[in-house]
Amino acid sequence: MFTTRGMRTAAVGALAIGTIALLAGCGTSSGNSAGGGEEQTELGDTEGQVSILAWPGYVEDGSNDPTVDWVSGFEEKTGCTVTSKSYGTSDEAVSLMKTGDYDVVAASGDATLRLIAAGDVAPVNTDLIPNYAGIYDFLKDKEWNSVDGQSYGVPHGYGANLLMYNTDEVSPAPTSWSAVFDDASEYSGKVTAYDSPIYIADAAVYLMAHQPDLGIENPYALDETQFAAAVDLLKAQREHVGEYWSDYLKEIQAFETGDSVVGTTWQVIQNVLASEDAATEVVLPEEGATGWSDTWMIASEAKNPNCAYAWLDWIASPEANAQATAYFGEAPSSDAACDYRDDCEAYHAGDADYASKIWYWTTPIADCVDGRTDVECVDYAQWTQAWAEIKG
């Protein structure tokens, strides 16, 4: 069994305004033409090498920790030697993919649509990836990894942005995000929130339930009125926030010291605190939550496409996926992977009802991702500007 050893080590970065403008102009409704390259129809001989761009902890070959290695087995099986580079933000990943130096990228939902719209990644033929069949259906063919029914990648792992609270200080146990919004004054100065423009979507999730007249259907598709309501909610919250966090170590410390008693977190952070007997618990609030689902994608001009396909199949295989997602601190992409982990229950792996309550990070663009065509939605460049105003 593999237990959680790593952390999600990078937060969502600010998106480049120029790239957002490209997305706003291109939209994501042009089918296969939205991405570059052609869908591969059959596999050929492997090329002997593959270059991978990924989050830290996604491509481990034992050099960082001899006990953490799912790359060597891939190289032995396929003959494809792996070279890899880690990136720190989604914005960095989008920029690096434009160099043409990488065959494969692991991208979060705030980057995938940009890569597709820019033509930097190719449609993926999932029939050439045997392990794709075992991946949870609720991760397939979603707005962050496909366009008009065409897949652009293979789901890797996923997780929710949960509500954490100090069980000694917060009573009764919260079941709603109201603890950090409308009721935040009860814990003023000890509320914590995720430090990123994408956190505006968390406010939108709350408003979907508590101000239905706004008509929000998707927290990443906000028109001017809906967006203004979310920003106002966050500005009201601001006076009660003691710390915005993006470094998981700082959030762990804040809950250990009592500087924070309620706020956004990840399951892996709660696992660490629980192992230290901290007085904390987490809950997926009744309104639902935001979260992430990462996708393995192939460059439109990949120099080693057959090794790239081999990697996508390998990393989706139960044992490799179990190792990678456990080390990173997230749920795996298949039930079969849970045969190699002992913590799937903690991550609610495979729980479709639980997963349905997660709004996975998706790049907000002017062409509303909820399908509306009668209005223009606020794009991420504006989200970034608003976030700076919210924090002051």
Side-chain angles (χ1 to χ4, degrees):
M1 294 289 183
F2 301 108
T3 57
T4 300
R5 302 188 50 160
M7 289 285 192
R8 187 170 184 83
T9 56
V12 177
L15 306 187
I17 292 177
T19 307
I20 289 296
L22 169 65
L23 262 174
C26 294
T28 57
S29 59
S30 55
N32 294 0
S33 64
E38 299 292 334
E39 182 186 86
Q40 195 160 331
T41 58
E42 61 183 13
L43 296 176
D45 294 335
T46 54
E47 300 86 0
Q49 59 189 2
V50 64
S51 179
I52 302 173
L53 180 65
W55 288 110
Y58 267 19
V59 187
E60 292 294 314
D61 61 3
S63 57
N64 292 320
D65 182 337
T67 67
V68 181
D69 180 4
W70 51 89
V71 170
S72 297
F74 168 76
E75 293 177 327
E76 293 169 5
K77 179 180 179 180
T78 65
C80 301
T81 299
V82 172
T83 58
S84 66
K85 179 179 177 61
S86 297
Y87 62 84
T89 68
S90 289
D91 194 41
E92 182 184 355
V94 170
S95 178
L96 287 169
M97 281 301 291
K98 294 186 181 303
T99 66
D101 293 339
Y102 306 97
D103 300 304
V104 174
V105 60
S108 291
D110 63 315
T112 50
L113 292 184
R114 290 188 284 162
L115 293 169
I116 293 169
D120 293 330
V121 292
V124 168
N125 185 347
T126 57
D127 290 340
L128 302 180
I129 304 171
N131 282 306
Y132 185 81
I135 291 175
Y136 296 129
D137 287 340
F138 57 77
L139 297 179
K140 297 177 179 177
D141 302 318
K142 299 302 180 182
E143 59 268 24
W144 62 87
N145 59 29
S146 64
V147 174
D148 291 345
Q150 171 63 61
S151 174
Y152 277 85
V154 174
H156 177 70
Y158 68 99
N161 296 313
L162 302 170
L163 177 63
M164 175 178 281
Y165 60 98
N166 182 310
T167 56
D168 292 336
E169 301 292 333
V170 180
S171 182
T175 60
S176 166
W177 287 111
S178 63
V180 298
F181 289 123
D182 289 339
D183 301 328
S185 61
E186 296 182 26
Y187 313 104
S188 190
K190 296 189 175 183
V191 174
T192 186
Y194 190 51
D195 190 2
S196 169
I198 204 70
Y199 184 67
I200 295 171
D202 291 58
V205 168
Y206 183 71
L207 292 173
M208 287 170 68
H210 295 273
Q211 293 189 34
D213 290 348
L214 286 169
I216 300 174
E217 298 291 336
N218 184 311
Y220 306 103
L222 304 177
D223 60 34
E224 291 287 353
T225 300
Q226 295 165 340
F227 185 74
V231 170
D232 286 345
L233 181 62
L234 291 169
K235 287 182 176 178
Q237 180 198 50
R238 176 67 184 94
E239 65 178 295
H240 304 298
V241 173
E243 180 180 36
Y244 290 99
W245 70 275
S246 58
D247 183 336
Y248 65 86
L249 294 176
K250 289 184 178 179
E251 187 181 39
I252 289 172
Q253 183 180 36
F255 271 90
E256 287 176 332
T257 61
D259 289 341
S260 294
V261 300
V262 66
T264 315
T265 196
W266 300 323
Q267 180 64 52
V268 66
I269 294 174
Q270 167 60 14
N271 291 353
V272 172
L273 286 166
S275 72
E276 298 173 353
D277 297 322
T280 59
E281 291 288 349
V282 295
V283 62
L284 179 69
E286 58 195 25
E287 298 91 355
T290 60
W292 72 88
S293 173
D294 293 344
T295 304
W296 289 102
M297 311 178 87
I298 296 177
S300 55
E301 303 297 331
K303 299 178 180 67
N304 306 289
N306 295 299
C307 279
Y309 266 89
W311 174 262
L312 263 62
D313 188 51
W314 173 265
I315 201 64
S317 65
E319 187 168 0
N321 186 258
Q323 287 179 284
T325 55
Y327 184 72
F328 196 71
E330 60 192 338
S333 64
S334 69
D335 270 338
C338 287
D339 292 339
Y340 299 92
R341 287 181 59 170
D342 60 4
D343 60 350
C344 274
E345 185 176 356
Y347 286 92
H348 300 270
D351 186 336
D353 180 63
Y354 185 90
S356 71
K357 299 173 184 176
I358 303 172
W359 292 93
Y360 300 97
W361 284 334
T362 304
T363 309
I365 56 177
D367 293 338
C368 302
V369 296
D370 63 359
R372 285 181 293 170
T373 58
D374 58 335
V375 297
E376 187 172 279
C377 281
V378 180
D379 69 25
Y380 209 79
Q382 294 170 272
W383 285 48
T384 301
Q385 293 168 359
W387 185 244
E389 295 174 4
I390 290 164
K391 291 181 63 180

mmCIF file of all heavy atoms in Angstrom, residues 66-82:
data_model
loop_
_atom_site.group_PDB
_atom_site.id
_atom_site.type_symbol
_atom_site.label_atom_id
_atom_site.label_comp_id
_atom_site.label_asym_id
_atom_site.label_seq_id
_atom_site.Cartn_x
_atom_site.Cartn_y
_atom_site.Cartn_z
ATOM 1 N N PRO A 66 14.632 7.376 -2.812
ATOM 2 C CA PRO A 66 14.783 6.057 -3.435
ATOM 3 C C PRO A 66 13.524 5.190 -3.367
ATOM 4 O O PRO A 66 13.353 4.275 -4.185
ATOM 5 C CB PRO A 66 15.930 5.415 -2.643
ATOM 6 C CG PRO A 66 16.680 6.564 -2.072
ATOM 7 C CD PRO A 66 15.656 7.618 -1.782
ATOM 8 N N THR A 67 12.655 5.477 -2.397
ATOM 9 C CA THR A 67 11.447 4.660 -2.261
ATOM 10 C C THR A 67 10.292 5.192 -3.104
ATOM 11 O O THR A 67 9.230 4.578 -3.136
ATOM 12 C CB THR A 67 10.998 4.607 -0.785
ATOM 13 O OG1 THR A 67 10.553 5.906 -0.364
ATOM 14 C CG2 THR A 67 12.128 4.141 0.106
ATOM 15 N N VAL A 68 10.498 6.315 -3.761
ATOM 16 C CA VAL A 68 9.439 6.936 -4.556
ATOM 17 C C VAL A 68 9.866 6.937 -6.022
ATOM 18 O O VAL A 68 10.660 7.782 -6.450
ATOM 19 C CB VAL A 68 9.149 8.377 -4.079
ATOM 20 C CG1 VAL A 68 8.028 9.007 -4.906
ATOM 21 C CG2 VAL A 68 8.771 8.374 -2.603
ATOM 22 N N ASP A 69 9.357 5.986 -6.780
ATOM 23 C CA ASP A 69 9.821 5.827 -8.158
ATOM 24 C C ASP A 69 8.793 5.058 -8.985
ATOM 25 O O ASP A 69 8.584 3.875 -8.782
ATOM 26 C CB ASP A 69 11.159 5.078 -8.159
ATOM 27 C CG ASP A 69 11.731 4.867 -9.551
ATOM 28 O OD1 ASP A 69 11.139 5.361 -10.529
ATOM 29 O OD2 ASP A 69 12.780 4.192 -9.648
ATOM 30 N N TRP A 70 8.127 5.763 -9.868
ATOM 31 C CA TRP A 70 7.250 5.091 -10.834
ATOM 32 C C TRP A 70 7.707 5.362 -12.264
ATOM 33 O O TRP A 70 7.038 4.991 -13.219
ATOM 34 C CB TRP A 70 5.797 5.519 -10.648
ATOM 35 C CG TRP A 70 5.555 7.003 -10.597
ATOM 36 C CD1 TRP A 70 5.304 7.847 -11.632
ATOM 37 C CD2 TRP A 70 5.545 7.804 -9.419
ATOM 38 N NE1 TRP A 70 5.141 9.128 -11.187
ATOM 39 C CE2 TRP A 70 5.276 9.133 -9.824
ATOM 40 C CE3 TRP A 70 5.726 7.538 -8.062
ATOM 41 C CZ2 TRP A 70 5.192 10.199 -8.917
ATOM 42 C CZ3 TRP A 70 5.647 8.600 -7.161
ATOM 43 C CH2 TRP A 70 5.385 9.898 -7.593
ATOM 44 N N VAL A 71 8.866 6.000 -12.403
ATOM 45 C CA VAL A 71 9.424 6.275 -13.727
ATOM 46 C C VAL A 71 10.287 5.114 -14.225
ATOM 47 O O VAL A 71 10.226 4.738 -15.406
ATOM 48 C CB VAL A 71 10.242 7.585 -13.706
ATOM 49 C CG1 VAL A 71 11.037 7.750 -15.003
ATOM 50 C CG2 VAL A 71 9.325 8.779 -13.512
ATOM 51 N N SER A 72 11.093 4.534 -13.339
ATOM 52 C CA SER A 72 12.007 3.466 -13.763
ATOM 53 C C SER A 72 11.264 2.294 -14.390
ATOM 54 O O SER A 72 11.696 1.742 -15.412
ATOM 55 C CB SER A 72 12.842 2.977 -12.577
ATOM 56 O OG SER A 72 13.670 4.017 -12.089
ATOM 57 N N GLY A 73 10.125 1.923 -13.794
ATOM 58 C CA GLY A 73 9.345 0.820 -14.357
ATOM 59 C C GLY A 73 8.834 1.144 -15.749
ATOM 60 O O GLY A 73 8.781 0.270 -16.629
ATOM 61 N N PHE A 74 8.450 2.386 -15.961
ATOM 62 C CA PHE A 74 8.003 2.820 -17.284
ATOM 63 C C PHE A 74 9.135 2.717 -18.294
ATOM 64 O O PHE A 74 8.949 2.213 -19.418
ATOM 65 C CB PHE A 74 7.487 4.253 -17.210
ATOM 66 C CG PHE A 74 7.270 4.904 -18.552
ATOM 67 C CD1 PHE A 74 6.162 4.581 -19.320
ATOM 68 C CD2 PHE A 74 8.188 5.826 -19.044
ATOM 69 C CE1 PHE A 74 5.961 5.167 -20.564
ATOM 70 C CE2 PHE A 74 7.994 6.426 -20.286
ATOM 71 C CZ PHE A 74 6.883 6.093 -21.050
ATOM 72 N N GLU A 75 10.314 3.188 -17.913
ATOM 73 C CA GLU A 75 11.450 3.143 -18.832
ATOM 74 C C GLU A 75 11.828 1.709 -19.181
ATOM 75 O O GLU A 75 12.124 1.409 -20.346
ATOM 76 C CB GLU A 75 12.638 3.874 -18.201
ATOM 77 C CG GLU A 75 12.415 5.377 -18.036
ATOM 78 C CD GLU A 75 13.567 6.079 -17.356
ATOM 79 O OE1 GLU A 75 14.218 5.445 -16.481
ATOM 80 O OE2 GLU A 75 13.820 7.256 -17.683
ATOM 81 N N GLU A 76 11.797 0.829 -18.191
ATOM 82 C CA GLU A 76 12.130 -0.573 -18.435
ATOM 83 C C GLU A 76 11.113 -1.237 -19.355
ATOM 84 O O GLU A 76 11.465 -2.029 -20.233
ATOM 85 C CB GLU A 76 12.210 -1.319 -17.108
ATOM 86 C CG GLU A 76 13.376 -0.881 -16.218
ATOM 87 C CD GLU A 76 13.270 -1.438 -14.814
ATOM 88 O OE1 GLU A 76 12.329 -2.239 -14.563
ATOM 89 O OE2 GLU A 76 14.101 -1.067 -13.959
ATOM 90 N N LYS A 77 9.844 -0.909 -19.163
ATOM 91 C CA LYS A 77 8.785 -1.546 -19.949
ATOM 92 C C LYS A 77 8.740 -1.046 -21.383
ATOM 93 O O LYS A 77 8.517 -1.824 -22.326
ATOM 94 C CB LYS A 77 7.427 -1.302 -19.282
ATOM 95 C CG LYS A 77 6.253 -1.909 -20.051
ATOM 96 C CD LYS A 77 4.942 -1.643 -19.346
ATOM 97 C CE LYS A 77 3.766 -2.237 -20.140
ATOM 98 N NZ LYS A 77 2.469 -1.985 -19.469
ATOM 99 N N THR A 78 8.939 0.251 -21.576
ATOM 100 C CA THR A 78 8.720 0.854 -22.895
ATOM 101 C C THR A 78 9.987 1.190 -23.661
ATOM 102 O O THR A 78 9.939 1.381 -24.881
ATOM 103 C CB THR A 78 7.919 2.161 -22.748
ATOM 104 O OG1 THR A 78 8.709 3.116 -22.032
ATOM 105 C CG2 THR A 78 6.615 1.913 -22.006
ATOM 106 N N GLY A 79 11.117 1.295 -22.968
ATOM 107 C CA GLY A 79 12.336 1.736 -23.633
ATOM 108 C C GLY A 79 12.377 3.231 -23.851
ATOM 109 O O GLY A 79 13.277 3.746 -24.527
ATOM 110 N N CYS A 80 11.436 3.959 -23.271
ATOM 111 C CA CYS A 80 11.370 5.416 -23.401
ATOM 112 C C CYS A 80 12.057 6.063 -22.200
ATOM 113 O O CYS A 80 11.547 5.985 -21.078
ATOM 114 C CB CYS A 80 9.924 5.893 -23.475
ATOM 115 S SG CYS A 80 8.953 5.209 -24.858
ATOM 116 N N THR A 81 13.180 6.697 -22.420
ATOM 117 C CA THR A 81 13.876 7.394 -21.348
ATOM 118 C C THR A 81 13.166 8.706 -21.044
ATOM 119 O O THR A 81 12.864 9.487 -21.950
ATOM 120 C CB THR A 81 15.330 7.681 -21.745
ATOM 121 O OG1 THR A 81 15.999 6.435 -21.989
ATOM 122 C CG2 THR A 81 16.055 8.439 -20.641
ATOM 123 N N VAL A 82 12.908 8.950 -19.776
ATOM 124 C CA VAL A 82 12.141 10.124 -19.357
ATOM 125 C C VAL A 82 13.074 11.262 -18.949
ATOM 126 O O VAL A 82 14.001 11.075 -18.162
ATOM 127 C CB VAL A 82 11.221 9.786 -18.168
ATOM 128 C CG1 VAL A 82 10.579 11.047 -17.603
ATOM 129 C CG2 VAL A 82 10.150 8.790 -18.605
#
